[in-house]
Amino acid sequence: MRINLRKFIIIGCCLGLLWLIASYSSFIQMPVSGSKHSLKDLENKIDELQEKLQYQISDSNNLLAKLRQQLKKTEKQKLDYQNSNEDDVDIQRRITNPILPILVIACDRVTVKRCLEKLVDYRPNKDTFPIIISQDCGHNATYQVIKSFTENDPSVTVVQQPDLSEIALPKEAIKFKGYYKISRHYRFALNHVFKTLKHDAVIIVEDDLDIAPDFYDYFLGTYPLLYKDRSIWCISAWNDNGKRQLIDSSRPELLHRTDFFPGLGWVLRRETWLQLEPKWPQAYFDDWLRDPENTQGRSCIRPEISRTYNFGKVGVSKGLFFDRHLKSMKLNMDPVDFTKLNLTYLIKDIYDDQLTSLVYSLPEALPEDVITGSLTHNTVRVTYTSAKTYQRAAKKMGLMDDFRSGIPRTAYRGIVTCFIRGRRVYLAPSEPWTHYDPHWGR
Ligand code: UD1
Ligand code: MN
């Protein structure tokens, strides 16, 4: 382009020069051909020509200035293009050849062995998925178990959270100190992965999680979504309403968007950590991540059928939750190669339009009818109008009925989807959704 413009300028100048020569020769010929003309006429003619010449020069100057401007613009465009291409190339590299380390958060449970065994067994590639265990709590028996995995495999490593000091807390908060320690540990472990080891992304797993056989393919296949759609900040392996009787077991490939951070096996990008870290909370980091203020209203991806199973009955939240919910969650055992699937249906613009136009064209049903199965349609909408009517419907249908920052579990734009007695059910607000009300559930 640059060479062509140069040529253009040279040709332009030559043409200008030719024009000058032509004008000049006609000027000299004039007295010969027009010998009758008076001196006055000749003077006039000269003036006229001079004027024309002046005009021509300023015209050429204008043209030259325009050409220069164009040249500058082209150079800039070329540079911009190169820059955007560099970004593309960088993103392409991160997507096609990612290194996705698994960060295992451990403390004092020797049962971390169960978690590590599955992580090692199902791992398709050690280079793509190095395992990094971060241990808090300084518990030696647990450390010995971890060591048995790291000793003979350089792709499995361990790091110790160094600050084991007691956290000073007001009296009423002491019984929750476990949550403070967990938050402190997460901050250390994520800084270790992103700042010390400089990884692009990480898959976070707690020491009481089993993984599904297609856990790795799930993350490998969905990982590019984090780059293709900036409205997605996390991908989780967990469905909060993942009980057998609430999911479509024939759809292991099905994924959803959710505004409710599910945790329990999830991928986080370095850029997101760098945004979160300065304001990372002292405790209850998972609920903190459920506040749209902290994640800028972005969403997560979650599966229809969970790719992790929680076996940690004895833990910081003391098992109550475990018996009521976690125990009966289904872990997917029907492997799907997510790297071969087209996942564009999850991109925000496509997904939002499709979901709302589908949901609001469905026939309405009552939760009672969904439960008894006395319905003719195989896809229905159950409507709610307030926190109370949401909770009543959710309870009736066996869904989790709690809110965080006003968001029901698994909700996306106010819509909670599940599958009951062979029927797809959407629990949806009566009016099209505009925002969550943080007072719901308070
Ligand atoms: C619950 C959540 C968990 C979340 C935690 C923080 C469920 C089922 N679990 O924890 O995902 O991270 O709240 O709000 O919803 N740990 C430490 N240091 C400690 C104590 C624990 O690092 O001093 C580690 C454990 O090894 C484990 C994680 O923190 O990896 C969570 O601890 P756990 O005892 O399992 O608590 P939950 O009640 O499950
Ligand atoms: Mn746990």
Side-chain angles (χ1 to χ4, degrees), residues 109 206-208 264 310 312 315-317 326:
R109 288 186 288 214
E206 296 186 342
D207 60 348
D208 55 356
L264 302 177
N310 192 297
V316 168
S317 58
L326 302 178

Side-chain angles (χ1 to χ4, degrees), residues 125-142:
N125 184 324
K126 290 183 178 187
D127 295 331
T128 309
F129 302 107
I131 296 172
I132 303 159
I133 304 145
S134 181
Q135 194 199 1
D136 191 13
C137 312
H139 190 254
N140 188 47
T142 302

Side-chain angles (χ1 to χ4, degrees), residues 44-61:
N44 282 346
K45 200 83 192 166
I46 290 171
D47 284 349
E48 211 176 283
L49 269 171
Q50 214 165 16
E51 215 171 277
K52 266 189 188 168
L53 209 69
Q54 214 66 44
Y55 181 75
Q56 185 67 33
I57 286 168
S58 87
D59 223 29
S60 306
N61 279 344

Side-chain angles (χ1 to χ4, degrees), residues 352-363:
D352 289 10
D353 281 353
Q354 272 182 0
L355 182 70
T356 38
S357 59
L358 166 73
V359 168
Y360 290 98
S361 68
L362 291 174

Side-chain angles (χ1 to χ4, degrees), residues 39 80 93 109 137 144 154 182 192 206 284 380 416 422 434:
L39 201 65
D80 285 353
R93 179 189 60 78
R109 288 186 288 214
C137 312
Q144 293 310 317
I182 295 171
H192 176 73
E206 296 186 342
Y284 314 111
V380 294
V416 167
T434 53

Side-chain angles (χ1 to χ4, degrees), residues 104-109 134-137 161 177-186 205-209 238 240 261-264 266 283-287 290 310 312-319 321-322 326 409:
V104 182
I105 303 288
C107 167
D108 59 0
R109 288 186 288 214
S134 181
Q135 194 199 1
D136 191 13
C137 312
Q161 196 281 110
K177 81 165 178 239
Y179 293 105
Y180 288 79
K181 289 190 173 169
I182 295 171
S183 200
R184 174 174 72 184
H185 185 190
Y186 264 79
V205 166
E206 296 186 342
D207 60 348
D208 55 356
L209 290 182
W238 185 253
D240 270 299
F261 167 63
L264 302 177
W266 54 290
Y284 314 111
F285 81 85
D286 45 351
D287 285 345
R290 288 165 185 147
N310 192 297
K313 185 177 163 116
V314 185
V316 168
S317 58
K318 305 271 186 330
F321 196 64
F322 182 87
L326 302 178
R409 280 186 198 258

